[in-house]
Amino acid sequence: CGLLLALSMAPCLGAEPPASVERLRDAIEADQPRSIALLERLVNQNSGSLNLPGVTAVGELVRAELEPLGFDVQWIDMRATGRAGHLVATHKGNGRGKRVLMIGHLDTVFEPDSPFQRFVREGDSATGPGIADDKGGVVIIIAALRAMHAAGTLRDVDIKVVLTGDEELTGK
């Protein structure tokens, strides 16, 4: 959301966007098919709050996206509470940029016995468990970070990504 706002602000202010914004815009556009494919993989992995292996699998899919960008990814095991766990990913920048916290969640309200299980795309629209809450948000986080990496701006920023595994139904 913040990235899209930043990309859209310059024309509204009558200013030419800096070259880094142009690079971000180009990277996001070029990466769109990959982001949609990631959204489909995430949505097709059931991760109802009580499906501990499913939530863990979604965490592993996210780990596979963040580690190549230079993030140190930790899994906080929460099985003792009856929930899978939380993913915490940390990127240390070079000290010249901002500090950013990105928060989301890995689980959905749709347990394995729900009939609503699959990603379905019709034109520019898609439905499926977690599309908007919050697998779509997770994909936006990853897409923004990949664009920053491609544009060379990620190296400046300290970022922490925290994705809980029990937002929909908290553990004990």
Side-chain angles (χ1 to χ4, degrees), residues 9-21:
M9 287 293 289
C12 294
L13 299 173
E16 283 294 314
S20 61
V21 172

Side-chain angles (χ1 to χ4, degrees), residues 2-3 13 19 42 46 91 124 132 143:
L3 177 63
L13 299 173
L42 291 172
N46 178 280
H91 178 273
D124 289 338

Side-chain angles (χ1 to χ4, degrees), residues 71 89-92 100 102 145 148 154 157-161:
F71 281 80
T90 305
H91 178 273
K92 288 303 224 174
V100 177
M102 300 174 137
L145 296 172
M148 290 176 70
L154 184 60
V157 185
D158 289 343
I159 299 176
K160 188 165 296 264
V161 178

Side-chain angles (χ1 to χ4, degrees):
C1 216
L3 177 63
L4 296 175
L5 179 63
L7 290 174
S8 64
M9 287 293 289
C12 294
L13 299 173
E16 283 294 314
S20 61
V21 172
E22 291 293 330
R23 289 192 309 267
L24 286 168
R25 184 180 298 141
D26 292 346
I28 289 169
E29 177 122 356
D31 203 43
Q32 188 173 8
R34 182 176 172 191
S35 294
I36 292 169
L38 175 60
L39 179 61
E40 182 172 4
R41 284 194 315 277
L42 291 172
V43 168
N44 285 338
Q45 171 57 64
N46 178 280
S47 62
S49 300
L50 301 178
N51 179 359
L52 279 55
V55 173
T56 303
V58 169
E60 287 303 315
L61 288 168
V62 173
R63 174 190 296 274
E65 296 293 328
L66 296 177
E67 284 181 338
L69 300 176
F71 281 80
D72 174 38
V73 182
Q74 303 298 316
W75 182 255
I76 311 300
D77 187 276
M78 298 298 290
R79 284 178 289 176
T81 69
R83 299 301 179 268
H86 311 305
L87 182 137
V88 178
T90 305
H91 178 273
K92 288 303 224 174
N94 59 19
R96 292 187 293 212
K98 303 234 182 231
R99 293 180 305 168
V100 177
L101 173 63
M102 300 174 137
I103 303 171
H105 62 96
L106 304 167
D107 62 323
T108 71
V109 298
F110 303 99
E111 297 298 337
D113 61 351
S114 168
F116 189 53
Q117 292 293 327
R118 306 302 293 171
F119 178 91
V120 176
R121 185 170 179 190
E122 294 178 17
D124 289 338
S125 297
T127 59
I131 284 278
D133 182 18
D134 187 35
K135 291 176 178 178
V138 170
V139 170
I140 289 170
I141 288 171
I142 292 168
L145 296 172
R146 285 196 306 234
M148 290 176 70
H149 185 264
T153 59
L154 184 60
R155 68 178 172 262
D156 297 333
V157 185
D158 289 343
I159 299 176
K160 188 165 296 264
V161 178
V162 179
L163 302 175
T164 65
D166 67 347
E167 188 273 343
E168 299 293 354
L169 187 59
T170 57
K172 305 221 182 295

